[in-house]
Amino acid sequence: MGRLFQLQENCLRLMGHSMERSDDRALTLGLKHVASLLLVISAEYPLMSYVIYNRDNMELITACLSVAFTNLLTVIKISTFLVYKQNFWQMMHSFRQMYSKSHQSLEVVGYAYVEKANKLAAFLGKAYCISCAFTGLYFMLGPIVKIITSSWRGVVYIRELPMPMKFPFDDINTPGYEFGFIYTVFVTIAVVLYASAVDGLFISFAINLRAHFQALQQRIRDLTFDLKDREVQEQLIEVVQYHVQLLNLAKQLRITYTAIVFGQFLITSIQVGVIIYQILTSLQVGVAVQLADWHLATPKQRRSLAFIMHRSQREMLIKAGFYEASLANFLAIIRAAMSLIAVIQSVE
């Protein structure tokens, strides 16, 4: 198997970060690192301008807000990485050391857990990176494909940027369109690389940490107490040191990703709230009928309006398998999450 966190490290290298222990610049921040953060932050302006420009079109607003929230979450991820870069490097180095130690001594109890977890983490990290890359590629190639197909069919095509953005200049004609397109490409590259790195590291850290806790449990179960006191004491010291190291890594992981997890939860809640708002607007159809001049309609027409009012009392639900995007289900998820957090805290 390849080097741990290799894919995430490559993404960070492309953004100008050095993660080598021997490199004195590994933990320092340069202008290029801050520039990448400012680049992603600057994308909020054209996104919000697009929302204001299309303020009368709820469909375009919600579509743009989804992109804006995703971009805002990436800002949180980049900021967190820049602030806690040393923590990221220390966790990567610690997990690599523990894996190297267990890999060199295959008889170490719990090695199978760690080996299996590393393969799973590498697979999920690669899958997540590919999904991010294809999502960005989809947005980038969409306008190009439309321009080419419109040219083949001889149809006039109004240019669209890859992302719903509105710049303070003419972004439809040359050269404004080309500038906006290139700007969007650079923003998308930064978003994809940082999301793949930071999220991929969280996946790998969590999976590896769980595997090491499983290995620790196996070591405790396999303790032998029919040896000399000194040997038993050495086993206990080794287990305690291993446990303390894992607890420190768990605490470090929690501190490092607190802002990201909170931002993810908050932004996802807002996105669900937007969906619920759109759903609840379907209930206002009955009110519109009541405000109409229904008293001027014929009895047959009134029966049609009554059917419309009756149908509008049923919510328009968006389903995803067994899940329904409704206010009740959203509140149920919130309550379940808070209960789970309380249980975890009580266990700790």
Side-chain angles (χ1 to χ4, degrees):
M1 195 182 76
R3 179 179 169 90
L4 283 180
F5 319 120
Q6 185 64 62
L7 178 61
Q8 292 79 18
E9 187 174 342
N10 291 338
C11 292
L12 293 173
R13 287 183 185 278
L14 290 174
M15 297 308 300
H17 296 279
S18 175
M19 308 302 289
E20 293 295 336
R21 186 179 184 183
S22 58
D23 193 344
D24 296 335
R25 301 171 301 172
L27 302 180
T28 59
L29 299 179
L31 180 60
K32 54 188 176 182
H33 305 139
V34 179
S36 61
L37 173 62
L38 295 178
L39 175 66
V40 179
I41 292 177
S42 66
E44 289 297 318
Y45 173 75
L47 288 170
M48 291 298 100
S49 296
Y50 185 89
V51 171
I52 297 174
Y53 184 79
N54 297 280
R55 54 186 176 274
D56 295 329
N57 192 326
M58 182 58 66
E59 182 180 356
L60 295 180
I61 290 177
T62 53
C64 182
L65 285 178
S66 179
V67 178
F69 289 148
T70 302
N71 186 75
L72 182 60
L73 183 59
T74 305
V75 171
I76 298 175
K77 293 175 182 177
I78 299 175
S79 303
T80 300
F81 178 79
L82 296 181
V83 172
Y84 294 102
K85 186 177 180 180
Q86 184 173 0
N87 286 15
F88 279 95
W89 184 91
Q90 288 177 349
M91 286 190 288
M92 292 171 65
H93 181 65
S94 297
F95 279 114
R96 281 171 174 168
Q97 276 190 328
M98 289 191 297
Y99 175 72
S100 178
K101 181 179 178 181
S102 61
H103 183 68
Q104 292 173 0
S105 303
L106 298 181
E107 69 276 5
V108 173
V109 177
Y111 170 75
Y113 292 114
V114 179
E115 180 69 14
K116 183 178 179 181
N118 288 334
K119 291 181 180 179
L120 176 61
F123 171 76
L124 293 179
K126 184 181 295 185
Y128 183 80
C129 181
I130 292 174
S131 66
C132 291
F134 272 102
T135 301
L137 192 62
Y138 169 79
F139 280 103
M140 294 300 105
L141 293 181
I144 298 177
V145 172
K146 291 179 180 178
I147 291 174
I148 295 175
T149 55
S150 299
S151 178
W152 285 348
R153 293 181 300 173
V155 180
V156 177
Y157 172 70
I158 300 178
R159 292 177 174 182
E160 294 179 354
L161 292 171
M163 299 293 177
M165 294 181 173
K166 184 64 179 176
F167 292 92
F169 52 82
D170 185 3
D171 53 15
I172 297 178
N173 301 311
T174 303
Y177 179 79
E178 286 76 9
F179 174 82
F181 195 99
I182 295 174
Y183 169 83
T184 308
V185 169
F186 279 109
V187 172
T188 303
I189 291 175
V191 169
V192 169
L193 290 177
Y194 269 111
S196 300
V198 178
D199 292 342
L201 285 175
F202 178 77
I203 294 171
S204 299
F205 288 156
I207 293 176
N208 274 275
L209 190 61
R210 177 178 179 272
H212 280 286
F213 272 115
Q214 289 177 320
L216 173 63
Q217 295 170 29
Q218 185 64 41
R219 289 190 186 185
I220 295 174
R221 288 193 295 266
D222 293 347
L223 286 175
T224 55
F225 297 95
D226 55 350
L227 302 175
K228 296 180 180 180
D229 291 343
R230 182 178 179 180
E231 295 178 354
V232 174
Q233 190 68 17
E234 289 177 353
Q235 289 182 355
L236 291 175
I237 291 175
E238 183 181 354
V239 167
V240 170
Q241 290 177 343
Y242 190 22
H243 190 201
V244 170
Q245 184 179 13
L246 295 182
L247 291 176
N248 289 335
L249 285 172
K251 181 179 179 181
Q252 204 169 14
L253 179 64
R254 182 181 60 192
I255 294 174
T256 303
Y257 278 91
T258 295
I260 296 177
V261 173
F262 175 77
Q264 182 77 65
F265 180 77
L266 177 63
I267 291 175
T268 302
S269 300
I270 294 175
Q271 290 176 328
V272 173
V274 172
I275 294 175
I276 294 173
Y277 169 77
Q278 289 182 295
I279 293 173
L280 293 179
T281 55
S282 65
L283 302 177
Q284 301 301 316
V285 175
V287 178
V289 173
Q290 297 175 16
L291 297 177
D293 295 331
W294 56 268
H295 57 279
L296 300 179
T298 62
K300 183 178 180 180
Q301 294 170 343
R302 292 181 183 180
R303 285 195 296 270
S304 299
L305 293 175
F307 282 126
I308 294 176
M309 293 181 61
H310 180 71
R311 179 61 183 85
S312 67
Q313 295 175 3
R314 295 168 54 189
E315 294 184 0
M316 180 188 67
L317 298 177
I318 298 178
K319 296 184 178 181
F322 62 89
Y323 175 77
E324 291 183 354
S326 63
L327 182 60
N329 286 340
F330 177 66
L331 294 176
I333 292 174
I334 298 295
R335 287 193 294 267
M338 295 303 297
S339 300
L340 183 60
I341 291 173
V343 171
I344 293 175
Q345 288 180 338
S346 64
V347 172
E348 291 181 349

